[in-house]
């Protein structure tokens, strides 16, 4: 459902079926809706067979990278000699993304069930759900659901804990998240070793996003073939996905559609299109870390992993940010750069210096003090920020800058030529 | 927060029990650091150098290490803040929906005036934060632990009245 709105007939409602229904939050209510059956069945199935089902479904990570989930699970050691962990990434901090929050608020048991299935599949005894510190309400709801499910004994020997973040976007990066749980600064680790070899506390670990895990019980209940069949354009992109739409549309919210759905329909039909009297100018389709699309690119884009790449961007987390013709793109690109400058963990020079410097240059351009060579400098810096650091936060800062300059150059030039009044930047 | 209050240990009684429950989960004491800081902040409203030293002692870490972690995360207060601690998202998606106006209205109407400053009556601290993960509900505002969605400039007076 297009939460907080009524479901739209073009949606495919799986994960969001019970959004808005408080009874589904309770253990009893969840069981009444068929909940925990998938977990019960999984616990009676060999771990390798569960991994196989998830592999066959084609499910890919919904946290941003789109890595095949079953394949990731299969990287875990088969012979168990040390403790194994599942980490759940509920750090949701990528601008434009607000779907995991809704899953935790309305169907916390779907997450808990999926996480416990993952634990069984990779032979982990402990699940740690890392929830960003600002998510006070999702925390309270998930905590209550966990207490109820624990009391009912559904997790068997698997222990599930919640762990609270404390304000740091970078802790959504998987190895930074593990460091944060370990009581360290949230600095990403150099890979390899990958988490399946040395993750949380140096032990084999699988980390998945909230939405990825919430899909797992449905796959086990209805079968891998059913899930694989949910695909509109490319067989490499299967299942449904929640798209968080925000910015300049009439009905922002979370919409669940089958992968391959046209972005144009999402924005114009489901979200009601631009605000009255306005037209769409640009769109960031996968959270703020991916390149900006023009209106033409947006209207031709298919929402699956391959389709968005073909349109010149990435599916990312599915956070869709819409900008209409009233938007000052230079100002918004500065705001995004400032976000990354604020959130850089400062380990890598290119990121620490690059995010701060690009922000400064953008501020200078907005203040009417830009120089003609500033755009080349921004592009040069961006190149140095791409593919050269421990994690991709730096690349993420470069993405909107490079695509913004390329596609909305006229707006930058207007500031540089003094044809636009300077904007005060605080 | 009075100075005398802060000289008392935080980790006693129920708070210590809560910490011990966390310690039982993980193979290292260090993993209880973020939870310990949250417990301390809940009790004292902020995290003083003395509290950092106490946390270090309880978890077998050095005070300098604890400080290094505290300063990495934005939600731990290293100074006392107003009774109502207000976080307003002004990142791009909220920004294009009027978040800067909401921030301005909150700063004016609470008397906090400047972002990060506390109002003279000690009741309000208002800060600007990056994405709160609720971008479809622009502008989200956190007042202490209350997460309020879809705040507009028009709704600010009622919000301020509610907490005053
Ligand atoms: C800077 C940065 C921030 C990230 N933030 C998040 C996040 O908030 N939530 C999330 O699930 N994944 C986030 N990721 C992706 C994770 O590193 C990881 O790929 C994901 O949790 C894996 O889960 P999945 O395979 O189920 O998608 C982030 C990555 C980077 C580089
Ligand atoms: S940008 Fe404001 S909540 Fe995400």
């Amino acid at each position: 459902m297009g939460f907080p709105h009524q479901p739209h007939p073009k949606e495919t409602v799986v994960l969001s079926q019970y959004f808005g229904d408080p009874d589904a939050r309770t253990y009893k209510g969840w069981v009444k809706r068929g909940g925990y059956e998938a977990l019960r069945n999984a616990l009676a199935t060999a771990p390798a067979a569960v991994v196989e089902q998830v592999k066959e479904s084609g499910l890919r990570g919904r946290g941003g990278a789109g890595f095949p989930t079953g394949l990731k699970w299969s990287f875990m050691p088969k012979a168990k000699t040390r403790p194994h962990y599942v980490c759940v990434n509920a750090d949701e901090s990528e601008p434009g993304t607000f779907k995991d929050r809704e899953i935790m608020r309305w169907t916390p048991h779907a997450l808990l069930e999926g996480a416990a299935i993952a634990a069984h599949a990779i032979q982990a005894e402990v699940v740690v759900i890392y929830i960003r510190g600002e998510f006070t309400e999702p925390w309270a709801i998930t905590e209550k659901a966990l207490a109820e499910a624990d009391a009912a004994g559904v997790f068997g020997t698997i222990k599930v804990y919640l762990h609270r973040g404390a304000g740091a976007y970078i802790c959504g990066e998987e190895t930074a998240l593990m460091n944060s749980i370990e009581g360290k600064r949230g600095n990403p680790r150099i890979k390899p070793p990958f988490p399946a070899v040395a993750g949380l506390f140096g032990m084999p670990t699988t980390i998945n996003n909230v939405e990825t895990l919430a899909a797992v019980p449905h796959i086990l209940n209805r079968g891998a073939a059913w899930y694989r069949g949910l695909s509109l354009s490319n067989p490499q992109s299967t299942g449904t996905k929640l798209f968080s739409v925000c910015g300049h549309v009439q009905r922002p919210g979370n919409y669940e559609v089958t992968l391959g759905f046209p972005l144009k329909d999402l924005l114009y039909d489901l979200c009601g299109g631009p605000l009255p009297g306005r037209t769409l100018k640009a769109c960031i389709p996968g959270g703020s870390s991916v390149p900006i699309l023009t209106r033409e690119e947006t209207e031709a884009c298919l929402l699956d992993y391959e389709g968005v790449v073909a349109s010149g961007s990435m599916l990312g987390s599915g956070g869709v940010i819409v900008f209409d013709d009233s938007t000052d793109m230079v100002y918004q690109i500065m705001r995004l750069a400032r976000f990354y400058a604020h959130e850089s963990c400062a380990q890598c020079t290119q990121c620490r210096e690059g995010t701060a410097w690009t922000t400064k240059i953008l501020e200078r351009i907005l203040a009417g003090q830009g120089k003609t060579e500033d755009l080349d400098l921004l592009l040069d810096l961006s190149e140095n920020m791409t593919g050269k650091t421990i994690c991709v936060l730096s690349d993420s800062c470069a993405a909107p800058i490079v695509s913004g300059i390329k596609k909305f150059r006229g707006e930058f030039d207007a500031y540089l030529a003094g044809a636009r009044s300077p904007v005060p930047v605080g | 927060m009075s100075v005398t209050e802060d000289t008392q240990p935080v980790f006693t009684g129920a708070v210590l029990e809560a910490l011990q429950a966390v310690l039982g989960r993980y193979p290292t004491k260090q993993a209880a650091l973020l939870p310990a800081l949250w417990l301390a902040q809940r009790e004292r409203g902020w995290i003083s150098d003395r509290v950092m030293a106490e946390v270090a002692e309880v978890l077998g870490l050095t005070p300098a290490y604890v400080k290094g972690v505290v300063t990495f995360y934005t939600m731990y207060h290293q100074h006392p803040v107003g009774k109502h601690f207000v976080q307003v998202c002004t990142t791009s998606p909220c920004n294009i929906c009027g978040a800067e106006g909401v921030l301005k209205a909150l700063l004016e109407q609470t008397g906090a005036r400047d972002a990060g400053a506390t109002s003279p009556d000690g009741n309000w601290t208002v800060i600007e934060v990056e994405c709160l993960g609720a971008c479809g509900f622009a502008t989200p505002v956190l007042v202490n632990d209350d997460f309020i969605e879809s705040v507009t400039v028009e709704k600010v007076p009622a919000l301020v009245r509610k907490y005053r």
Side-chain angles (χ1 to χ4, degrees), chain A residues 85 95-96 98 101-102 105 132-136 161-167 171 180-187 201 246-248 252 322 331-332 335-336 339 342-343, chain B residues 25-28 30-31 33-35 38 65 68-69 71-76 87 90-93 95-97 100 128 130-137 142 145 147 149:
Chain A
Y85 289 96
F98 52 96
R101 172 173 183 260
E102 233 55 76
R105 285 171 87 200
R132 68 176 295 181
E134 296 87 344
F135 274 179
T136 47
Y161 302 126
L162 306 188
H163 202 98
R164 187 175 180 193
C171 288
S180 184
I181 295 173
E182 291 180 17
K184 300 172 182 164
R185 292 166 73 96
N187 291 338
F201 303 112
C246 65
H248 293 143
V322 183
Y331 190 79
Q332 294 311 323
R335 286 297 317 205
L336 291 175
F339 169 83
H342 184 260
E343 302 299 335
Chain B
R25 296 175 182 178
Y26 300 119
T28 66
Q30 189 177 345
L33 180 50
L34 267 61
W38 276 122
Y65 179 82
V69 171
T71 53
F72 185 85
Y73 297 95
T74 56
M75 292 183 80
Y76 295 128
Q87 308 181 51
T90 58
T91 306
S92 195
N95 200 281
I96 58 173
C97 296
E100 289 183 10
E128 197 177 345
E130 298 292 351
C131 182
L132 284 169
C135 334
F137 302 89
L142 252 174
D145 281 348
F147 198 104
E149 295 174 347

Side-chain angles (χ1 to χ4, degrees), chain A residues 61-67 72 89 91-94 100 169-170 172-174 207-209 212 391-393:
Chain A
R62 305 299 195 221
F67 194 84
K72 186 189 273 190
N89 196 336
D91 195 54
E92 192 163 64
S93 316
E94 166 97 351
D100 300 338
Y169 163 71
I170 192 59
E173 195 282 335
E174 55 191 26
I207 177 161
N208 279 121
N209 168 259
T212 311
C391 86
V392 296
L393 186 143

Side-chain angles (χ1 to χ4, degrees), chain A residues 298-363:
Chain A
T298 302
E299 293 181 354
C301 178
L302 292 180
L303 289 170
D304 60 33
Y305 294 97
E306 299 74 21
V308 186
V309 170
S311 292
S313 189
M314 284 183 284
L315 187 79
S317 59
V320 182
I321 311 169
V322 183
F323 302 96
D324 71 19
D325 56 342
S326 71
T327 312
D328 180 339
M329 293 308 287
V330 182
Y331 190 79
Q332 294 311 323
I333 290 165
M334 181 278 288
R335 286 297 317 205
L336 291 175
R338 190 190 277 179
F339 169 83
Y340 292 103
H342 184 260
E343 302 299 335
S344 170
C345 83
Q347 271 192 116
C348 308
T349 313
Q350 293 90 335
C351 180
R352 184 184 61 242
E353 304 297 324
T355 54
W357 196 0
T358 49
T359 304
K360 229 180 205 162
I361 297 169
L362 289 162
E363 287 175 351

